[in-house]
Structure formats: structure tokens, C-alpha cells
């Protein structure tokens, strides 16, 4: 019999915490890739420029500042303003995300409607407090940032990318059309039987 530690979190709180981690991971990846593309050789150039130490990606804050310098400030007009707003929002939310990621979780009888994390940074004890509503708001804000840094021009940019890609299908749509088994929400739970069988035959 396995014994699991109970974190004392509701399903709603766990959902929002998980969404924050997923959205933030996607955010870090996109910021890194956009920054990396600025180091690609230009037309006619053959030498690949050396990457600065920040691109080792050991600390997101370093990559974020490079992104601001090389991507955000290089854009003009409406899209430039949108990206600048996203940069400022990421800087604000990073402290919140760090509190969730690096803190020690606990709760107190004095306020059962919130959870708390405690961490130490440069000998300073930092306590962060989160209600389920706050967690939901943070998850939503990071999701909006993820959309806006990819499509600073809004739906016009979405349409342009879809045209360049020659079409797009969501994970659920691919599952439906490929005949993959899905859960109650329509997300695939395994490979389509035909694909799995084909793979086994190829391996054999």
C-alpha cells in the first residue's frame, strides 16, 4: 500500500496551480526561442554570432532581459506597445510565480480560505498568500501573456500564421479525425489503434 502526503489543497486550487506552471513553462520557452532567433545569421552572413551567457538559460530573468532588449524594443507601432506591456506584466508576475515554485506550502487556522508559501531569499523571509480566486487570476493573466507575445497583432497575426502553416488542427481535433481514444473532454488518452499497430509492424 502506498501512502501519499496530503497537500491540503482543493481540486480547484490544484487545477489553477497546475495551469500556472504549464502556462509559465510555455512562456519561458517562447521568450527563449524568440530571443534565440535574433542571433541567427542574416542574409549573406555565414558566421553564427556567439551566444551570451544568459542564453545558457540557467536563469529566466537573464533571458527575459535579453528578450526585452533584442525583441521587444526592436518592434515598433502597436505590436511594440503590446510586447512592452507583456514584458512589464511578466516582471510583475515572476515574483508571484517564484513564490509558488520555490516556497514551502502551508495553511493556518486563522484564514482557511488561503494557502501560503514561505521562502528565504538573501536572508529575507518572504511569505506569499494565495486564495483560489487569486490563483485563477494569475493563471488567466499568464495565459493572456502567452497569447500576446506570440500574436501581438491579435487575431490578424493568428490568421497570418495559420496561412503560413497551411492549416492548423488542435490536439483534440487530431484525436477525433485519427480515431484515437479520448476522455470525457475529448483529449486523447492513447495513440490511435491503427497508428500503434503500424508502429509495431514497422518495429517488428
Amino acid at each position: 500500500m502506498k501512502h501519499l502526503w496530503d497537500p491540503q489543497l482543493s481540486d480547484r486550487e490544484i487545477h489553477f496551480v497546475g495551469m500556472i506552471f504549464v502556462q509559465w513553462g510555455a512562456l519561458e520557452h517562447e521568450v527563449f526561442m524568440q530571443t534565440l532567433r535574433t542571433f541567427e545569421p542574416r542574409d549573406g552572413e555565414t558566421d553564427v554570432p556567439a551566444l551570451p551567457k544568459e542564453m545558457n538559460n540557467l536563469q529566466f530573468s537573464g533571458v527575459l532581459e535579453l528578450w526585452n532588449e533584442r525583441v521587444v524594443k526592436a518592434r515598433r507601432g502597436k505590436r511594440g506597445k503590446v510586447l512592452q506591456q507583456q514584458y512589464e506584466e511578466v516582471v510583475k508576475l515572476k515574483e508571484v510565480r517564484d513564490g509558488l515554485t520555490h516556497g514551502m506550502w502551508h495553511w493556518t487556522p486563522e484564514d482557511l480560505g488561503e494557502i501560503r508559501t514561505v521562502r528565504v531569499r538573501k536572508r529575507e523571509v518572504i511569505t506569499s498568500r494565495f486564495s483560489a480566486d487569486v490563483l485563477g487570476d494569475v493563471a488567466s493573466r499568464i495565459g493572456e501573456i502567452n497569447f500576446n507575445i506570440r500574436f501581438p497583432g491579435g487575431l490578424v497575426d493568428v490568421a497570418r500564421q495559420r496561412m503560413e502553416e497551411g492549416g492548423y488542427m488542435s490536439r483534440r481535433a487530431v484525436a477525433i479525425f485519427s480515431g484515437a481514444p479520448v476522455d470525457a473532454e475529448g483529449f486523447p488518452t492513447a495513440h490511435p489503434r491503427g497508428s500503434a499497430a503500424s508502429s509495431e509492424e514497422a518495429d517488428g
Side-chain angles (χ1 to χ4, degrees):
M1 181 180 295
K2 293 183 179 181
H3 300 281
L4 303 179
W5 175 72
D6 184 359
Q8 299 290 314
L9 294 173
S10 70
D11 289 344
R12 184 164 177 253
E13 289 166 337
I14 290 173
H15 168 79
F16 288 139
V17 169
M19 185 60 71
I20 288 170
F21 287 172
V22 169
Q23 290 282 4
W24 192 268
L27 169 66
E28 288 198 8
H29 174 76
E30 183 64 19
V31 166
F32 179 85
M33 293 306 297
Q34 287 189 15
T35 306
L36 183 62
R37 285 193 287 269
T38 66
F39 290 96
E40 293 177 352
R42 298 179 180 177
D43 294 339
E45 296 179 349
T46 56
D47 294 334
V48 178
L51 297 177
K53 62 180 181 180
E54 287 83 0
M55 294 302 289
N56 289 334
N57 208 21
L58 298 177
Q59 287 190 331
F60 175 60
S61 56
V63 180
L64 182 63
E65 292 308 314
L66 273 180
W67 179 71
N68 184 41
E69 290 296 324
R70 300 180 65 89
V71 178
V72 177
K73 294 183 178 179
R75 298 297 293 268
R76 297 290 182 265
K78 176 186 174 182
R79 289 176 175 80
K81 291 180 180 178
V82 170
L83 289 178
Q84 182 61 40
Q85 292 170 352
Q86 306 320 300
Y87 166 75
E88 294 169 359
E89 190 74 359
V90 171
V91 171
K92 294 176 185 176
L93 288 175
K94 186 177 182 303
E95 184 70 16
V96 178
R97 178 264 181 186
D98 288 349
L100 287 170
T101 304
H102 304 300
M104 296 172 285
W105 292 63
H106 70 105
W107 60 274
T108 65
E110 289 76 26
D111 193 341
L112 294 175
E114 68 177 17
I115 53 177
R116 302 181 183 186
T117 65
V118 178
R119 58 195 170 106
V120 178
R121 183 179 62 189
K122 296 180 180 179
R123 299 184 180 181
E124 176 188 6
V125 178
I126 303 174
T127 300
S128 302
R129 296 173 171 82
F130 305 97
S131 67
D133 289 340
V134 168
L135 292 170
D137 178 65
V138 171
S140 177
R141 288 165 66 188
I142 301 174
E144 289 177 6
I145 292 170
N146 261 317
F147 180 89
N148 289 331
I149 64 175
R150 289 166 171 78
F151 309 108
L155 295 180
V156 172
D157 284 358
V158 175
R160 181 181 293 112
Q161 178 172 311
R162 297 293 183 259
M163 291 176 63
E164 292 174 352
E165 293 175 347
Y168 170 80
M169 291 181 68
S170 69
R171 186 181 176 201
R172 284 192 282 190
V174 171
I176 291 172
F177 285 106
S178 65
V182 298
D183 61 18
E185 295 181 338
F187 283 101
T189 57
H191 288 293
R193 290 186 180 85
S195 298
S198 299
S199 298
E200 290 173 1
E201 292 174 2
D203 292 340

